Amino acid sequence: MARRTAADLLIEGLIENGQEILFANLGTDHVTIVEELARRESHGEPAPRVISVPHENVAVHMAGGYAMQTGRGQAVLVHVDAGTANAAMAMHNLRRSRLPVLVMAGRAPFALRGELPAGRDTYVHYVQDPFDMAGIVRPYTKWEYCLPSGAVAKSMLMRALAVMQSDPCGPVYLTLPREILAETFEGTALRDPPALQDSAVAARGVEPEMARRIATMLMAADSPMIVTAYLGRNHEAPAILSALAEEAGIRVVETIPHWMNLPQDHPCHCGFDAGPFLQKTDVGMLLDVDVPWMPSLVAENHAARWIHLDVDPLKEGLPLWGYPAELRIQADSAIVLRQVLEIIRAEADDGFRARVRARLADFAAFRDQRAKRIEDAAGNPGAKDAISPAFLCDRLNAQMTADDIVLNEAIRNTPAVCNHMPRTKPGTYAGLAGGGLGFSGGMALGFRLARPEARVVQMVGDGSFHFGAPDAVYATAQAYGLPIFTVVLDNGGWQAVKEATLRVHPQGSAAATDRFFARLEGGRRRFEQIGMAFGAHGEYVDDPAALDAAIARCFAAIARGQAAVMTVRVTPL
């Protein structure tokens, strides 16, 4: 039997473990992987589909977007420490989003004088060899390791994939020394690991007594509330939450939502800010949420009883957290909600149902008032060079369907997107869970790759657009036929910097002089031209009256397979 390289064993292991796609930004450390991929292609042997992406930030976010839509984490190949550094922000975001991605980075070779095949043969092999390459991303990984030998390549892969797919999911990191990848083995000398040597561990439900305790607390409440952000990661969960909330008359608030957790037309959906309801809440449930409210900015009710149900209740990746809970439970929230719903349906009496009807009537009154505020905001178009974000989002929504996917990286204009582009179907909304700007372009590409039939609308602020390596986004869209619609909300800078400064120093010098050093100074910025350089359709809109026609032209471009970028001059910083 022919000798096999560690790189070939690694590729075979990827295929055997369901890795259909290899997102890649290749370098000199990957030479044997490149050779084996080419050999497999020429011999008709199976190999992952390679998606070459010109920037690692885009590649890793693209893999995350694919995982977000399919539930299946994929592999990304990056280049030594430089590629790892470029990937770090994406790994931060995926860690906070609890998305499974395997990031593999080649290592600079260590053989100096030809002691081993594939040793050092160029300048960068010296300067790309840091003391602790994994340290660049260690805070954002569930697991990291260095492949010690091709003999355990498949075992190592199985371990990495099991960890990344286990609840709570997250990125893992594997480094691949160049000499190790070129190492060869006699086929007969290798032993494949058992098929189930490592397998992912999924969160489950709770014992019946705990489900009953939760149900009892909710049924006894006068003003219950659920606060959630990422329950919708399980696409079956919104329907279960919908049924429970209506059955038990529970107010539901989505706080900084990462997913579509409850249809916005649901009678119990009460917006995106839990703060106004905290004082009246007597029993509450923190349901798959990281930051339910900002304690320093709201009046908390310390007499309220809280249940915390979460796939990640300890927030193990956060050094400091601090939200109260009488019950704190690690579980699959969808399963537990179904358990609780069955108990409430079985035990509800006429008195309970009457209280539920009264609460639903209160919710309806609140929702009517809220809808009127949203309608009034949408009716104000703004002015030339200062288009209202609410008006923009409303006009976009008028030409969208319920199946369209919204990626929200509008940052300080996030409320306009949430309120005026309501989503009602699972998997049709994604928000930024982490703190790394520049996530939405790559994620949008991953969404479109996973769901080619869906229209993907990326809402992104001008400041965030800069961070997203947009040239790499549209080069990839062009190369692989992934038309996405990007809307750049150009307010001239980073509104978050101004608002944060005013919260801490409301009477300070920055406020008095209007100097926040957060404006993008200079002439007009034509963000759409970046997309046009790679074949995208471009629109520049500074007049509210021109919006509808520009939006229609962008959607027409998407329909013919062409990406579209629309720059919109919104209310300035």
mmCIF file of all heavy atoms in Angstrom, residues 346-374:
data_model
loop_
_atom_site.group_PDB
_atom_site.id
_atom_site.type_symbol
_atom_site.label_atom_id
_atom_site.label_comp_id
_atom_site.label_asym_id
_atom_site.label_seq_id
_atom_site.Cartn_x
_atom_site.Cartn_y
_atom_site.Cartn_z
ATOM 1 N N ALA A 346 -52.198 21.048 31.493
ATOM 2 C CA ALA A 346 -52.928 20.029 32.256
ATOM 3 C C ALA A 346 -53.533 20.586 33.536
ATOM 4 O O ALA A 346 -54.573 20.106 34.003
ATOM 5 C CB ALA A 346 -51.983 18.865 32.578
ATOM 6 N N GLU A 347 -52.913 21.618 34.123
ATOM 7 C CA GLU A 347 -53.331 22.076 35.446
ATOM 8 C C GLU A 347 -54.074 23.409 35.433
ATOM 9 O O GLU A 347 -54.584 23.835 36.463
ATOM 10 C CB GLU A 347 -52.109 22.163 36.367
ATOM 11 C CG GLU A 347 -51.430 20.814 36.564
ATOM 12 C CD GLU A 347 -50.407 20.828 37.665
ATOM 13 O OE1 GLU A 347 -50.201 21.901 38.279
ATOM 14 O OE2 GLU A 347 -49.816 19.762 37.926
ATOM 15 N N ALA A 348 -54.135 24.081 34.298
ATOM 16 C CA ALA A 348 -54.807 25.382 34.254
ATOM 17 C C ALA A 348 -56.303 25.234 34.554
ATOM 18 O O ALA A 348 -56.968 24.339 34.034
ATOM 19 C CB ALA A 348 -54.607 26.004 32.869
ATOM 20 N N ASP A 349 -56.822 26.119 35.419
ATOM 21 C CA ASP A 349 -58.257 26.117 35.719
ATOM 22 C C ASP A 349 -58.871 27.421 35.209
ATOM 23 O O ASP A 349 -58.196 28.272 34.613
ATOM 24 C CB ASP A 349 -58.503 25.938 37.211
ATOM 25 C CG ASP A 349 -57.805 26.990 38.056
ATOM 26 O OD1 ASP A 349 -57.463 28.078 37.519
ATOM 27 O OD2 ASP A 349 -57.608 26.747 39.261
ATOM 28 N N ASP A 350 -60.146 27.613 35.461
ATOM 29 C CA ASP A 350 -60.838 28.790 34.938
ATOM 30 C C ASP A 350 -60.268 30.080 35.514
ATOM 31 O O ASP A 350 -60.156 31.094 34.806
ATOM 32 C CB ASP A 350 -62.334 28.696 35.250
ATOM 33 C CG ASP A 350 -63.029 27.605 34.443
ATOM 34 O OD1 ASP A 350 -62.433 27.158 33.435
ATOM 35 O OD2 ASP A 350 -64.151 27.201 34.820
ATOM 36 N N GLY A 351 -59.920 30.045 36.792
ATOM 37 C CA GLY A 351 -59.355 31.247 37.404
ATOM 38 C C GLY A 351 -58.035 31.644 36.760
ATOM 39 O O GLY A 351 -57.791 32.835 36.508
ATOM 40 N N PHE A 352 -57.176 30.650 36.522
ATOM 41 C CA PHE A 352 -55.896 30.937 35.874
ATOM 42 C C PHE A 352 -56.118 31.496 34.477
ATOM 43 O O PHE A 352 -55.500 32.496 34.079
ATOM 44 C CB PHE A 352 -55.051 29.659 35.818
ATOM 45 C CG PHE A 352 -53.767 29.819 35.055
ATOM 46 C CD1 PHE A 352 -52.704 30.515 35.590
ATOM 47 C CD2 PHE A 352 -53.620 29.281 33.778
ATOM 48 C CE1 PHE A 352 -51.514 30.671 34.887
ATOM 49 C CE2 PHE A 352 -52.449 29.423 33.068
ATOM 50 C CZ PHE A 352 -51.388 30.123 33.621
ATOM 51 N N ARG A 353 -57.034 30.885 33.736
ATOM 52 C CA ARG A 353 -57.270 31.337 32.362
ATOM 53 C C ARG A 353 -57.832 32.764 32.342
ATOM 54 O O ARG A 353 -57.537 33.548 31.442
ATOM 55 C CB ARG A 353 -58.206 30.372 31.648
ATOM 56 C CG ARG A 353 -57.575 28.989 31.413
ATOM 57 C CD ARG A 353 -58.415 28.132 30.481
ATOM 58 N NE ARG A 353 -57.784 26.833 30.238
ATOM 59 C CZ ARG A 353 -58.059 25.736 30.933
ATOM 60 N NH1 ARG A 353 -58.966 25.773 31.908
ATOM 61 N NH2 ARG A 353 -57.439 24.606 30.649
ATOM 62 N N ALA A 354 -58.613 33.108 33.333
ATOM 63 C CA ALA A 354 -59.143 34.471 33.405
ATOM 64 C C ALA A 354 -58.013 35.476 33.631
ATOM 65 O O ALA A 354 -58.000 36.567 33.035
ATOM 66 C CB ALA A 354 -60.183 34.575 34.524
ATOM 67 N N ARG A 355 -57.065 35.125 34.515
ATOM 68 C CA ARG A 355 -55.923 36.022 34.743
ATOM 69 C C ARG A 355 -55.083 36.151 33.480
ATOM 70 O O ARG A 355 -54.581 37.241 33.166
ATOM 71 C CB ARG A 355 -55.068 35.502 35.904
ATOM 72 C CG ARG A 355 -55.793 35.480 37.252
ATOM 73 C CD ARG A 355 -54.822 35.438 38.429
ATOM 74 N NE ARG A 355 -53.808 34.395 38.310
ATOM 75 C CZ ARG A 355 -53.969 33.128 38.677
ATOM 76 N NH1 ARG A 355 -55.163 32.728 39.166
ATOM 77 N NH2 ARG A 355 -52.985 32.259 38.565
ATOM 78 N N VAL A 356 -54.933 35.056 32.743
ATOM 79 C CA VAL A 356 -54.178 35.092 31.490
ATOM 80 C C VAL A 356 -54.853 36.025 30.493
ATOM 81 O O VAL A 356 -54.203 36.850 29.833
ATOM 82 C CB VAL A 356 -54.031 33.670 30.903
ATOM 83 C CG1 VAL A 356 -53.527 33.725 29.458
ATOM 84 C CG2 VAL A 356 -53.075 32.840 31.758
ATOM 85 N N ARG A 357 -56.180 35.925 30.377
ATOM 86 C CA ARG A 357 -56.895 36.795 29.432
ATOM 87 C C ARG A 357 -56.711 38.263 29.798
ATOM 88 O O ARG A 357 -56.550 39.124 28.916
ATOM 89 C CB ARG A 357 -58.384 36.431 29.402
ATOM 90 C CG ARG A 357 -58.694 35.132 28.666
ATOM 91 C CD ARG A 357 -60.187 35.001 28.385
ATOM 92 N NE ARG A 357 -60.980 34.918 29.611
ATOM 93 C CZ ARG A 357 -61.257 33.794 30.256
ATOM 94 N NH1 ARG A 357 -60.798 32.630 29.784
ATOM 95 N NH2 ARG A 357 -61.998 33.801 31.358
ATOM 96 N N ALA A 358 -56.706 38.550 31.071
ATOM 97 C CA ALA A 358 -56.519 39.944 31.502
ATOM 98 C C ALA A 358 -55.121 40.441 31.141
ATOM 99 O O ALA A 358 -54.951 41.588 30.683
ATOM 100 C CB ALA A 358 -56.755 40.053 33.007
ATOM 101 N N ARG A 359 -54.128 39.592 31.331
ATOM 102 C CA ARG A 359 -52.771 40.011 30.978
ATOM 103 C C ARG A 359 -52.634 40.204 29.471
ATOM 104 O O ARG A 359 -51.993 41.159 29.008
ATOM 105 C CB ARG A 359 -51.750 38.992 31.490
ATOM 106 C CG ARG A 359 -51.587 39.005 33.007
ATOM 107 C CD ARG A 359 -50.293 38.349 33.443
ATOM 108 N NE ARG A 359 -50.249 36.921 33.239
ATOM 109 C CZ ARG A 359 -50.524 35.998 34.167
ATOM 110 N NH1 ARG A 359 -50.932 36.383 35.377
ATOM 111 N NH2 ARG A 359 -50.417 34.718 33.909
ATOM 112 N N LEU A 360 -53.220 39.301 28.695
ATOM 113 C CA LEU A 360 -53.142 39.434 27.242
ATOM 114 C C LEU A 360 -53.811 40.726 26.783
ATOM 115 O O LEU A 360 -53.343 41.365 25.820
ATOM 116 C CB LEU A 360 -53.783 38.221 26.559
ATOM 117 C CG LEU A 360 -53.040 36.885 26.725
ATOM 118 C CD1 LEU A 360 -53.835 35.751 26.069
ATOM 119 C CD2 LEU A 360 -51.639 36.957 26.134
ATOM 120 N N ALA A 361 -54.867 41.121 27.455
ATOM 121 C CA ALA A 361 -55.519 42.388 27.112
ATOM 122 C C ALA A 361 -54.590 43.561 27.419
ATOM 123 O O ALA A 361 -54.513 44.532 26.646
ATOM 124 C CB ALA A 361 -56.831 42.531 27.879
ATOM 125 N N ASP A 362 -53.871 43.494 28.540
ATOM 126 C CA ASP A 362 -52.891 44.536 28.863
ATOM 127 C C ASP A 362 -51.785 44.583 27.810
ATOM 128 O O ASP A 362 -51.361 45.666 27.384
ATOM 129 C CB ASP A 362 -52.281 44.294 30.244
ATOM 130 C CG ASP A 362 -53.257 44.591 31.373
ATOM 131 O OD1 ASP A 362 -54.262 45.282 31.120
ATOM 132 O OD2 ASP A 362 -53.008 44.116 32.511
ATOM 133 N N PHE A 363 -51.306 43.394 27.409
ATOM 134 C CA PHE A 363 -50.265 43.348 26.374
ATOM 135 C C PHE A 363 -50.765 43.994 25.080
ATOM 136 O O PHE A 363 -50.027 44.710 24.402
ATOM 137 C CB PHE A 363 -49.837 41.909 26.079
ATOM 138 C CG PHE A 363 -49.259 41.153 27.252
ATOM 139 C CD1 PHE A 363 -49.128 39.764 27.202
ATOM 140 C CD2 PHE A 363 -48.840 41.812 28.401
ATOM 141 C CE1 PHE A 363 -48.595 39.061 28.266
ATOM 142 C CE2 PHE A 363 -48.307 41.110 29.477
ATOM 143 C CZ PHE A 363 -48.198 39.724 29.404
ATOM 144 N N ALA A 364 -52.025 43.714 24.745
ATOM 145 C CA ALA A 364 -52.580 44.248 23.492
ATOM 146 C C ALA A 364 -52.597 45.770 23.523
ATOM 147 O O ALA A 364 -52.270 46.433 22.520
ATOM 148 C CB ALA A 364 -53.981 43.699 23.266
ATOM 149 N N ALA A 365 -52.963 46.336 24.663
ATOM 150 C CA ALA A 365 -52.971 47.796 24.780
ATOM 151 C C ALA A 365 -51.562 48.360 24.631
ATOM 152 O O ALA A 365 -51.339 49.364 23.938
ATOM 153 C CB ALA A 365 -53.576 48.208 26.118
ATOM 154 N N PHE A 366 -50.599 47.712 25.285
ATOM 155 C CA PHE A 366 -49.207 48.153 25.158
ATOM 156 C C PHE A 366 -48.726 48.020 23.720
ATOM 157 O O PHE A 366 -48.072 48.932 23.184
ATOM 158 C CB PHE A 366 -48.321 47.329 26.098
ATOM 159 C CG PHE A 366 -46.847 47.547 25.857
ATOM 160 C CD1 PHE A 366 -46.202 48.637 26.411
ATOM 161 C CD2 PHE A 366 -46.113 46.672 25.050
ATOM 162 C CE1 PHE A 366 -44.842 48.851 26.178
ATOM 163 C CE2 PHE A 366 -44.768 46.877 24.812
ATOM 164 C CZ PHE A 366 -44.128 47.965 25.374
ATOM 165 N N ARG A 367 -49.057 46.906 23.099
ATOM 166 C CA ARG A 367 -48.603 46.680 21.724
ATOM 167 C C ARG A 367 -49.225 47.702 20.768
ATOM 168 O O ARG A 367 -48.565 48.154 19.824
ATOM 169 C CB ARG A 367 -48.938 45.251 21.287
ATOM 170 C CG ARG A 367 -48.010 44.195 21.902
ATOM 171 C CD ARG A 367 -48.454 42.779 21.544
ATOM 172 N NE ARG A 367 -48.623 42.605 20.105
ATOM 173 C CZ ARG A 367 -47.621 42.403 19.237
ATOM 174 N NH1 ARG A 367 -46.375 42.349 19.679
ATOM 175 N NH2 ARG A 367 -47.875 42.248 17.957
ATOM 176 N N ASP A 368 -50.464 48.076 20.998
ATOM 177 C CA ASP A 368 -51.089 49.091 20.144
ATOM 178 C C ASP A 368 -50.360 50.426 20.272
ATOM 179 O O ASP A 368 -50.110 51.117 19.264
ATOM 180 C CB ASP A 368 -52.560 49.268 20.527
ATOM 181 C CG ASP A 368 -53.425 48.097 20.080
ATOM 182 O OD1 ASP A 368 -52.962 47.304 19.237
ATOM 183 O OD2 ASP A 368 -54.563 47.968 20.595
ATOM 184 N N GLN A 369 -50.037 50.806 21.508
ATOM 185 C CA GLN A 369 -49.309 52.063 21.718
ATOM 186 C C GLN A 369 -47.916 52.010 21.077
ATOM 187 O O GLN A 369 -47.471 52.982 20.454
ATOM 188 C CB GLN A 369 -49.186 52.344 23.215
ATOM 189 C CG GLN A 369 -50.511 52.601 23.913
ATOM 190 C CD GLN A 369 -50.369 52.622 25.431
ATOM 191 O OE1 GLN A 369 -49.266 52.510 25.971
ATOM 192 N NE2 GLN A 369 -51.490 52.760 26.130
ATOM 193 N N ARG A 370 -47.282 50.869 21.244
ATOM 194 C CA ARG A 370 -45.938 50.711 20.658
ATOM 195 C C ARG A 370 -46.015 50.764 19.128
ATOM 196 O O ARG A 370 -45.178 51.406 18.479
ATOM 197 C CB ARG A 370 -45.339 49.382 21.133
ATOM 198 C CG ARG A 370 -43.947 49.108 20.622
ATOM 199 C CD ARG A 370 -43.347 47.872 21.291
ATOM 200 N NE ARG A 370 -42.031 47.603 20.739
ATOM 201 C CZ ARG A 370 -41.811 46.854 19.664
ATOM 202 N NH1 ARG A 370 -42.841 46.259 19.054
ATOM 203 N NH2 ARG A 370 -40.588 46.675 19.208
ATOM 204 N N ALA A 371 -46.998 50.099 18.554
ATOM 205 C CA ALA A 371 -47.158 50.106 17.104
ATOM 206 C C ALA A 371 -47.391 51.519 16.581
ATOM 207 O O ALA A 371 -46.887 51.889 15.506
ATOM 208 C CB ALA A 371 -48.304 49.189 16.693
ATOM 209 N N LYS A 372 -48.131 52.321 17.348
ATOM 210 C CA LYS A 372 -48.374 53.706 16.935
ATOM 211 C C LYS A 372 -47.068 54.499 16.937
ATOM 212 O O LYS A 372 -46.805 55.299 16.009
ATOM 213 C CB LYS A 372 -49.381 54.348 17.875
ATOM 214 C CG LYS A 372 -49.744 55.784 17.533
ATOM 215 C CD LYS A 372 -50.451 55.878 16.176
ATOM 216 C CE LYS A 372 -51.115 57.235 15.970
ATOM 217 N NZ LYS A 372 -50.160 58.357 16.004
ATOM 218 N N ARG A 373 -46.225 54.294 17.952
ATOM 219 C CA ARG A 373 -44.937 54.997 17.988
ATOM 220 C C ARG A 373 -44.063 54.593 16.806
ATOM 221 O O ARG A 373 -43.384 55.427 16.197
ATOM 222 C CB ARG A 373 -44.219 54.708 19.314
ATOM 223 C CG ARG A 373 -44.898 55.309 20.539
ATOM 224 C CD ARG A 373 -43.966 55.275 21.747
ATOM 225 N NE ARG A 373 -43.600 53.920 22.137
ATOM 226 C CZ ARG A 373 -44.289 53.166 22.989
ATOM 227 N NH1 ARG A 373 -45.412 53.639 23.537
ATOM 228 N NH2 ARG A 373 -43.882 51.957 23.303
ATOM 229 N N ILE A 374 -44.066 53.302 16.496
ATOM 230 C CA ILE A 374 -43.271 52.817 15.371
ATOM 231 C C ILE A 374 -43.800 53.400 14.061
ATOM 232 O O ILE A 374 -43.024 53.839 13.192
ATOM 233 C CB ILE A 374 -43.290 51.272 15.350
ATOM 234 C CG1 ILE A 374 -42.505 50.716 16.552
ATOM 235 C CG2 ILE A 374 -42.717 50.739 14.036
ATOM 236 C CD1 ILE A 374 -42.632 49.223 16.731
#
